Amino acid sequence: IFSLLTITTASYWYSHTHGLFSQEAHAAGTTYYASPGSLNISQLQPGDTLVLQDGIYSPVAIDCTSNARNGTAAAPITLKAEHERQAWLKSDGSASALYVNRCAYWVFEGLHASSADLNDDNGRSVIEVYASNHLTFRRLLIDHDNRYTNGPLLALLYDTTFCLVEESEFYYYHRHGVSDFASGNNTFRR
């Protein structure tokens, strides 16, 4: 039998006026809380967790070559909803609701992501992942791709490997729910 116990002791601070996060420090890293408009991916270190409070968020771009860091096998970086499906990454169809580029050891949990129809040539998948590895997508609700594009709801593209997609739901798409294009060793279950 395996059990995991996390004890959190910490300082707690928050400021809506300055766009700061609240934080709780613990042995595995720091837990930050963000509200819509105050999302800061660049501060996250291996082992950190960013909890998205309920609300509608603009598209999130995580690029580990410019604005983000990689996690590690022992200390992944986690982006999760405070209440499942209540943190909504919403796109107007011009960009992915969640874009991940060249990242390793990240966990995405309990998020709601969607797009909308937009008739232009730059439309993207709702969640688009490039050249990344060891990512976990757990208990996501992904819906409404841009029907003007030929993209899926979730796209694992070009050398995205060793990722896990589990317990997630895919609704309202016109072509593919999931694409694993030019990638491999990814696991899709439940």
Side-chain angles (χ1 to χ4, degrees):
I1 297 175
F2 176 77
S3 72
L4 176 64
L5 175 64
T6 302
I7 299 173
T8 303
T9 59
S11 61
Y12 189 81
W13 56 270
Y14 193 79
S15 170
H16 285 287
T17 57
H18 299 294
L20 301 175
F21 299 104
S22 60
Q23 90 176 355
E24 296 176 7
H26 55 84
T30 303
T31 298
Y32 297 95
Y33 291 83
S35 59
S38 70
L39 195 60
N40 183 1
I41 298 296
S42 64
Q43 73 177 10
L44 299 174
Q45 301 287 329
D48 286 352
T49 298
L50 179 56
V51 178
L52 302 185
Q53 296 174 326
D54 298 354
I56 299 174
Y57 292 79
S58 299
V60 175
I62 301 170
D63 187 334
C64 290
T65 65
S66 64
N67 74 341
R69 293 174 184 83
N70 290 311
T72 66
I77 297 172
T78 301
L79 182 67
K80 65 186 270 183
E82 183 174 36
H83 300 105
E84 289 197 7
R85 301 174 179 218
Q86 300 306 307
W88 185 5
L89 309 180
K90 188 175 182 182
S91 172
D92 64 2
S94 63
S96 295
L98 176 62
Y99 173 82
V100 182
N101 185 48
R102 299 186 186 283
C103 292
Y105 297 103
W106 278 71
V107 176
F108 302 93
E109 188 172 311
L111 303 172
H112 176 191
S114 68
S115 190
D117 292 338
L118 180 65
N119 190 4
D120 74 357
D121 293 332
N122 298 319
R124 302 283 185 174
S125 303
V126 177
I127 297 178
E128 199 158 282
V129 182
Y130 283 95
S132 297
N133 63 79
H134 297 92
L135 306 180
T136 300
F137 299 92
R138 182 178 296 121
R139 292 192 306 277
L140 302 183
L141 173 60
I142 309 170
D143 60 85
H144 291 94
D145 61 345
N146 182 348
R147 292 178 296 174
Y148 286 100
T149 66
N150 193 25
L153 294 175
L154 172 63
L156 304 180
L157 304 169
Y158 304 106
D159 297 322
T160 295
T161 57
F162 301 104
C163 294
L164 171 63
V165 179
E166 67 179 352
E167 300 175 7
S168 295
E169 298 176 46
F170 304 87
Y171 297 107
Y172 308 109
Y173 54 94
H174 71 284
R175 179 146 181 175
H176 306 295
V178 177
S179 176
D180 189 23
F181 183 78
S183 298
N185 296 310
N186 296 308
T187 301
F188 304 87
R189 65 181 179 206
R190 293 190 300 270

